[in-house]
Amino acid sequence: MSGACRSTTLTSDPAARLFVALDVETLADAEALLDRLDGVNLDVNLDGPGPSNVVAPGVKIGTQLFTAAGPTAVEHAQKRGRRVFLDLKYHDIPNTVAGAVREATRLGVFMLDVHASGGFAMMRAAADAATKAAADFGVVRPLVIGVTVLTSLDRKALPLDLGVAGSVESHVLRLAERARDAGLDGCVASAREIGLLRGALGPKWVIVAPGMRPEQAQLRPGGDRGAMSGPSRPKEDDQARTATPRAAISAGADYIVVGRPIIAAPDPVAAVRAVLDEIASA
């Protein structure tokens, strides 16, 4: 962990632990989805006794929407009161990544990520840039987390595509430990590695789990083929290491990211509520 404080203390409220992936083609598509999801705001008290705050699931803005709409996508989500996980997976030389993290921090995002495979110096530069930028701009420092092994990869792919011997679990742990040593706040990993990570890195290490597949069959990608049509919503499921939201939270995930099972559902609001029910019951 770096010297800076975390952006927030973890709450047990289900909505605060969910990020909906806005993996859509245009800003208009994102706005339409957010219009529908405004119905799942929940009244909870995050600060103990006193007035409650309205909390809504956060949103993940990745490379597709950010390439199409740029920082405007972040700003529009924030105006709706959404916490933003900026999922651009920075992976470049340290100076370039530091500059990108500085601008992401200026935007006021809640969390951002870099590829842990970018190396110690790059990760250290990212952590330091977030701390300095937060002080310079007078904003809350975002969580800076490291992407370990993409959930589309499995053990067969490690040696073939990455030249990495050994298991996925051992490689995830190795990258996460380097991320910790470099000053990052946590990592992205599949639910299958959460137990190992939590045991090795402790309760303060932030773990974000993508690749979620809800228990209700009708919410799974492919469960409603009609809902999966269109260029933004491919019919194929390219995730190799998946889990249910309940399993991920039970294993020790701090946050989960759910995309296609929500945005491709006939009723996204019902899909979100089903995921929140899984989180609450974990």
Side-chain angles (χ1 to χ4, degrees):
M1 292 286 289
S2 65
C5 294
R6 287 176 56 178
S7 297
T8 185
T9 53
L10 184 63
T11 173
S12 60
D13 177 67
R17 303 180 73 173
L18 171 63
F19 284 85
V20 177
L22 299 183
D23 294 334
V24 295
E25 289 184 344
T26 68
L27 185 59
D29 290 338
E31 292 280 10
L33 179 60
L34 288 172
D35 282 342
R36 299 187 70 179
L37 296 184
D38 279 345
V40 293
N41 287 3
L42 300 176
D43 287 320
V44 298
N45 190 347
L46 296 183
D47 302 313
S52 64
N53 298 306
V54 174
V55 174
V59 296
K60 188 212 78 167
I61 294 177
T63 52
Q64 182 179 20
L65 181 58
F66 197 83
T67 300
T72 300
V74 174
E75 294 163 358
H76 280 220
Q78 290 170 331
K79 287 178 181 177
R80 292 172 175 263
R82 303 281 177 169
R83 295 162 301 132
V84 174
F85 169 22
L86 189 61
D87 178 31
L88 299 184
K89 300 182 179 70
Y90 299 128
H91 190 168
D92 212 313
I93 61 174
N95 188 61
T96 298
V97 168
V101 169
R102 179 176 177 83
E103 296 310 314
T105 301
R106 188 200 300 264
L107 287 173
V109 301
F110 172 81
M111 181 163 59
L112 62 90
D113 57 8
V114 303
H115 264 295
S117 57
F120 183 92
M122 187 206 75
M123 290 189 285
R124 170 64 77 181
D128 290 347
T131 300
K132 185 176 186 303
D136 289 347
F137 303 132
V139 299
V140 176
R141 181 189 182 278
L143 294 172
V144 183
I145 61 176
V147 177
T148 55
V149 176
L150 297 175
T151 51
S152 58
L153 300 175
D154 57 19
R155 182 163 187 164
K156 292 180 180 179
L158 284 187
L160 183 64
D161 296 334
L162 302 182
V164 173
S167 68
V168 171
E169 292 80 7
S170 63
H171 191 50
V172 165
L173 180 58
R174 185 181 308 112
L175 290 172
E177 288 175 333
R178 289 297 283 170
R180 174 201 57 192
D181 295 344
L184 298 197
D185 301 294
C187 69
V188 180
S190 87
R192 300 183 187 183
E193 297 91 47
I194 291 173
L196 177 67
L197 292 168
R198 186 60 72 209
L201 299 174
K204 292 185 178 180
W205 183 250
V206 177
I207 301 175
V208 179
M212 293 294 100
R213 296 296 177 255
E215 291 174 355
Q216 293 188 24
Q218 65 266 31
L219 301 182
R220 297 177 188 272
D224 185 324
R225 286 299 185 185
M228 294 300 291
S229 63
S232 292
R233 299 169 182 176
K235 293 183 178 181
E236 67 274 7
D237 188 352
D238 55 2
Q239 302 279 16
R241 302 184 344 270
T242 63
T244 66
R246 189 193 314 274
I249 295 296
S250 295
D254 294 291
Y255 304 104
I256 63 171
V257 178
V258 185
R260 282 171 275 184
I262 290 174
I263 66 175
D267 185 348
V269 171
V272 169
R273 290 196 183 281
V275 171
L276 294 179
D277 285 345
E278 283 196 50
I279 296 173
S281 63

